Amino acid sequence: MTIAPPGARQEEQTRYLDIRGLGVRYGGKHGTEALRGLDLQVPEGSFHAVLGPSGCGKSTLLKALVGLLDMQVGAIEPQPRLPAYVPQGDSCFPWLTAAENVAFGLEARGVGKRERLQRARSLLADLDLGDFADRYPHELSEGMRQRVAIARAFAIDADLLLMDEPLSALDFQTKMRVQSELLGLWERQRSTVIYVTHDIDEALTLADHVTVLSTRPALARETIEVPFSRPRSYRDVRRAPGYGDLFARIDALLEA
Ligand SMILES: Nc1ncnc2c1ncn2[C@@H]1O[C@H](COP(=O)(O)OP(=O)(O)OP(=O)(O)O)[C@@H](O)[C@H]1O
Ligand SMILES: [Mg+2]
């Protein structure tokens, strides 16, 4: 979909991933309505954070975008084609090394073995895991496995990257470092990112826009533009004028 902002010339038009009226009801004995009438417009190439109370339907939203659910209603345009996806929790294949995990999606895209392992090693180095490329997941910490999953998502150069709390297992210092590494990878690739997090500071550090979801069944309560200039880090954001007000506004939306 293309929407021209008022007064924009043709070449300035922004394309959007446009989600309209998305609803998901899980079946089974205790059928749960996870999403109802969710509207979300994400400008292509932007970094979009999604926050919401626990259990409201954030992971369900990403699964619907990946195409993992068959019980959804509503429209998603354009329909995502082979998005990269970092699911919530541990998603490394235990029988593959870190480098093989990262290279996994490249095989299906026809990239030769040498090149895919080379690309995997380089991405792991970008995420400070250069020395662990040949280790198996059980030899890595949870935070390291999360970084392997992030590297795997960036490896395939997808137009759309969906990440579900990918840094939740990291301690504060490591989280800050990986946030800046992740932003570096995204600045190079500039794919559209939808990034689920519980952490308001993380959303304000990474994203162009933050959408706060309601309690279940979730709809988009409000989308807020993050005005801080890039490149930026957590420390820059904390010191930026307006940070406190923005934090408080998002916090109030989450509490409401
Ligand atoms: N496969 C499933 N079958 C039935 N109900 C499900 C299924 N997956 C999720 N749900 C329900 O849908 C609702 C939303 O779940 P979801 O995992 O999307 O929430 P979330 O916002 O990601 O939560 P969290 O912040 O804890 O990760 C919850 O009530 C959950 O119990
Ligand atoms: Mg979740």
Side-chain angles (χ1 to χ4, degrees), residues 54-239:
S54 186
C56 75
K58 301 180 295 298
S59 298
T60 300
L61 167 64
L62 296 196
K63 286 176 191 164
L65 289 167
V66 179
L68 293 174
L69 305 176
D70 57 7
M71 68 300 248
Q72 70 204 47
V73 297
I76 301 172
E77 280 180 36
Q79 194 64 44
R81 284 186 59 246
L82 297 174
Y85 175 43
V86 180
Q88 189 168 6
D90 210 337
S91 64
C92 288
F93 302 122
W95 62 90
L96 298 178
T97 64
E100 288 164 349
N101 262 282
V102 176
F104 184 80
L106 293 171
E107 187 174 1
R109 283 164 169 80
V111 180
K113 186 169 181 185
R114 226 161 88 133
E115 191 188 331
R116 53 180 196 261
L117 284 173
Q118 223 166 39
R119 213 188 292 181
R121 284 177 193 284
S122 149
L123 276 163
L124 286 169
D126 286 339
L127 288 164
D128 264 358
L129 288 174
D131 293 339
F132 295 87
D134 298 316
R135 304 283 184 91
Y136 284 88
H138 74 271
E139 300 174 289
L140 305 175
S141 71
E142 193 181 348
M144 287 167 152
R145 290 197 295 273
Q146 283 195 327
R147 278 182 277 161
V148 171
I150 291 170
R152 185 170 63 198
F154 275 99
I156 57 174
D157 242 333
D159 293 337
L160 178 64
L161 239 131
L162 306 166
M163 295 194 252
D164 199 345
E165 304 195 40
L167 307 185
S168 59
L170 301 183
D171 64 89
F172 180 70
Q173 302 297 336
T174 312
K175 194 188 248 198
M176 281 201 298
R177 210 177 57 242
V178 178
Q179 280 171 355
S180 100
E181 288 154 357
L182 193 153
L183 276 180
L185 290 173
W186 174 72
E187 299 275 356
R188 294 211 301 261
Q189 196 162 306
R190 280 289 173 167
S191 36
T192 310
V193 175
I194 302 182
Y195 188 99
V196 169
T197 176
H198 274 116
D199 181 337
I200 300 176
D201 280 323
E202 180 166 83
L204 291 177
T205 303
L206 298 177
D208 298 309
H209 296 92
V210 177
T211 293
V212 180
L213 301 186
S214 68
T215 50
R216 185 172 53 81
L219 45 75
R221 195 185 275 282
E222 195 170 325
T223 294
I224 293 166
E225 187 173 349
V226 182
F228 311 127
S229 59
R230 296 186 186 275
R232 57 164 105 116
S233 68
Y234 170 75
R235 288 195 176 87
D236 301 332
V237 165
R238 285 297 294 260
R239 283 192 221 106

